[in-house]
Amino acid sequence: MKIEIWSDIACPFCYIGKRHLEQALSKYNSTINFDIEWKSYQLQPDLQITEAKGLDVYLAEIKGWSLSQAQEMNQQVSQMAKACGLNYQLNKAIVANTLKAHQLIQLAKTKLIGDAAEEALFKAYFTEGKDLNDENELCRIAEGIGISGHEISSVLKTQAYVDEIKREQFEAQQLQVRGVPFFLFNDQYAISGAQPVETFESVIQQILTIEQNGQD
């Protein structure tokens, strides 16, 4: 079964959606081969970062909220994450343009470890409070999944994979994707957002039923 996923590393619901999907797939992994491809989608491709800034402060500024309102919102999101086993530390999160992170993902995809890259980057951003604008941090993350620091450093210093990132963003626009995460099963069945595990299970079962009926 083919599953394409458009997501952004700075999207807290994308990590939650990843966990929900994994929990649904765990019931079928022994009998079904899932071909998962992560696609790049930047929520804020034009974000300019001049100095490191915490997520609480950033949200307060762009939303016109008080700092306590931003903290409360992030605490609510953290509780959602906790429900599926994720340990968000959004008080540590550092706002970043995610282009470099997506370059790492694209490089990892060529080595068939795109999922490992997504997991490592999500964890670095949402749990460890790592600055994904920092090339040294990205090199460390890359080395943690088996990519040499020299190789990712070379990629980050060029426009390598930027065309692929833009192409995948354009694909999302053609599919009329309005936000992420966005999951596309077998080019036909879509799920938008971090839906409950049961929603993923329902779509998978629907596909299996249709395929079974077609074989009868």
Side-chain angles (χ1 to χ4, degrees):
M1 188 179 298
K2 177 182 177 183
I3 307 175
E4 296 167 282
I5 311 167
W6 280 264
S7 82
D8 195 3
I9 292 303
C11 166
F13 303 105
C14 290
Y15 200 7
I16 294 170
K18 182 177 189 291
R19 276 296 182 274
H20 286 175
L21 173 67
E22 290 168 348
Q23 289 169 13
L25 298 186
S26 67
K27 298 185 178 182
Y28 302 94
N29 274 332
S30 61
T31 57
I32 302 173
N33 178 36
F34 293 104
D35 179 15
I36 298 175
E37 180 181 1
W38 288 90
K39 301 270 194 171
S40 292
Y41 188 102
Q42 284 195 275
L43 291 167
Q44 294 181 283
D46 299 321
L47 179 65
Q48 299 292 322
I49 301 297
T50 56
E51 61 182 77
K53 182 174 294 186
L55 183 59
D56 288 336
V57 172
Y58 177 75
L59 280 180
E61 289 179 353
I62 66 169
K63 298 290 188 181
W65 298 340
S66 68
L67 181 59
S68 62
Q69 286 176 312
Q71 291 170 335
E72 182 180 354
M73 177 61 68
N74 280 333
Q75 287 170 1
Q76 292 175 5
V77 175
S78 296
Q79 286 301 310
M80 290 178 59
K82 185 178 180 180
C84 65
L86 295 172
N87 177 27
Y88 278 14
Q89 299 291 327
L90 297 184
N91 60 310
K92 298 179 182 178
I94 299 173
V95 177
N97 184 302
T98 56
L99 179 64
K100 293 177 181 178
H102 282 291
Q103 285 179 279
L104 172 53
I105 291 166
Q106 293 293 333
L107 172 61
K109 283 167 61 174
T110 68
K111 302 176 183 296
L112 304 180
I113 52 173
D115 190 78
E118 291 278 348
E119 182 67 28
L121 287 162
F122 277 137
K123 183 178 180 181
Y125 187 79
F126 289 110
T127 298
E128 299 173 349
K130 301 301 183 183
D131 185 355
L132 299 186
N133 281 310
D134 187 328
E135 293 190 9
N136 290 328
E137 287 292 353
L138 288 168
C139 286
R140 181 191 64 79
I141 294 167
E143 289 171 348
I145 60 172
I147 297 175
S148 76
H150 175 76
E151 185 172 10
I152 185 58
S153 180
S154 177
V155 165
L156 296 176
K157 286 179 169 56
T158 68
Q159 292 297 301
Y161 301 110
V162 170
D163 286 345
E164 286 82 351
I165 294 167
K166 291 179 178 179
R167 175 178 54 78
E168 292 177 358
Q169 187 109 1
F170 179 73
E171 289 175 352
Q173 293 171 354
Q174 295 300 104
L175 290 168
Q176 299 185 337
V177 174
R178 296 290 181 258
V180 288
F182 183 84
F183 305 82
L184 185 63
F185 294 74
N186 284 356
D187 299 316
Q188 292 182 320
Y189 304 89
I191 293 178
S192 181
Q195 299 296 327
V197 175
E198 293 77 14
T199 301
F200 290 100
E201 291 176 345
S202 177
V203 169
I204 293 169
Q205 194 57 54
Q206 181 181 356
I207 295 171
L208 293 176
T209 300
I210 292 172
E211 291 180 348
Q212 182 62 42
N213 290 339
Q215 293 173 359
D216 291 342

